[in-house]
Amino acid sequence: MSTNELSRVALAMVAPGKGILAADESTGTIEKRFKSISVENLEENRRAYRDMLFSTRGLSQHISGVILYDETLRQKSADGTPFAELLAKNGILPGIKVDAGAKDMAFCPGEKITEGLDGLAKRCAEYVKLGAKFAKWRAVITIGKDAPSAACINANAHALARYAAICQAAGLVPIVEPEVLMDGDHDIDRCEQVTEWTLRAVFAALANQRVVYEDMVLKPSMVISGKDCAKQAGVQEVAERTLRCLKRTVPAAVPGIAFLSGGQSDELATAHLDAMNKIGGAPWRLTFSYGRALQHPSLTAWKGRETNLAAAQIALAHRARMNGLATAGRYSAELEKERGKAA
Ligand code: 13P
């Protein structure tokens, strides 16, 4: 793809009213999700679950793209249509997670470095053939007593930038995802400080690797209080601080920012995005790329049973619609309650 095509895809990923469904859980991560509904982690169950999600009627109204895992990109819908083809037919861009996971980082206790650069160009070429239009790489930054370290931030920023350059050269739009974890009892000040440090390092590395800002999407975490912090910041404060931090660090040439949910509850993740868009005035589109916060109600409704398919799809369509509204700052508690009516 030429840079024009890449920038067209990047803009489509963050199109008004739409966001991204992250359904790229590795086999190990989906096992955790399946355990919560007592479903065995078998290839056929993983396929059936993703089939349920992807064949939700009208999904493309609020979902611009879906991030897949390697196995899923090679799987097919019940009628034999490859998932990538099914999504594309329905006007949804298929994407692929290309990192090999966050591993313990040497000499940095408690910190992680994401692996997967070796052989990445070759894998990207195959993913393009399989129909992928964009890619994702997640870096993890941990907040702790002596963390994050400069070593961890810089190594992860460098890896993200190398990944992004390789993807763009191969014809895939990179989703650059530096996630500052919400685990811990740190306050929102500390989260803001670490997020700002991380984003500065990431954009310095992206510039250094000649990554084209117009042809990428940023997927950051929001600036929020640590999960175990006694004082939890409210929705407005999270929105204001997240916007302030992003304005300080993210070039306006980046077309869009699609947040991860990172363990926030479904409705809070929607409310935070909505509050940012209600404030308005940002130079980039602000949308979602949620995994848990989009899938959770659907997963719990599904429980691995064919008979629950319709209820599970209604639950997904509802969350997608609520988040779609949040991209325009048009979400409200009243609309949230309309789930029954949507059925
Ligand atoms: P969550 O929204 O569940 O954090 O998942 C998004 C994602 O893709 C993490 O890499």
Side-chain angles (χ1 to χ4, degrees), residues 22 24 33 67 136 138 177 179 219 260-263 289-293:
D24 60 327
R33 310 278 184 266
I67 317 173
K136 177 194 116 169
R138 173 176 174 256
E177 180 180 3
E179 174 172 5
K219 174 166 174 169
L260 59 93
S261 62
S289 174
Y290 295 158
R292 283 161 286 182

Side-chain angles (χ1 to χ4, degrees), residues 137-268:
W137 176 292
R138 173 176 174 256
V140 176
I141 305 298
T142 311
I143 300 183
K145 194 173 145 293
D146 298 313
S149 62
C152 176
I153 287 192
N154 293 334
N156 275 293
H158 179 259
L160 272 170
R162 289 266 295 125
Y163 139 80
I166 291 167
C167 284
Q168 288 185 343
L172 293 167
V173 170
I175 294 183
V176 173
E177 180 180 3
E179 174 172 5
V180 176
L181 294 179
M182 60 189 276
D183 300 337
D185 61 3
H186 54 273
D187 61 15
I188 191 166
D189 271 334
R190 177 87 175 118
C191 178
E192 186 170 356
Q193 184 191 56
V194 170
T195 307
E196 190 173 325
W197 179 15
T198 301
L199 290 173
R200 280 193 200 288
V202 167
F203 279 94
L206 290 170
N208 201 243
Q209 296 300 324
R210 307 174 182 179
V211 171
V212 181
Y213 293 150
E214 286 81 356
D215 300 352
M216 62 166 275
V217 169
L218 178 71
K219 174 166 174 169
S221 39
M222 296 178 193
V223 174
I224 49 178
S225 316
K227 208 166 57 183
D228 304 320
C229 179
K231 190 166 171 277
Q232 290 291 311
V235 170
Q236 193 61 22
E237 185 176 4
V238 167
E240 283 169 12
R241 285 190 187 244
T242 304
L243 277 178
R244 175 168 72 186
C245 183
L246 292 169
K247 280 183 183 165
R248 285 176 176 167
T249 52
V250 184
V254 172
I257 297 179
F259 293 98
L260 59 93
S261 62
Q264 297 180 48
S265 77
D266 320 334
E267 294 182 18
L268 204 50

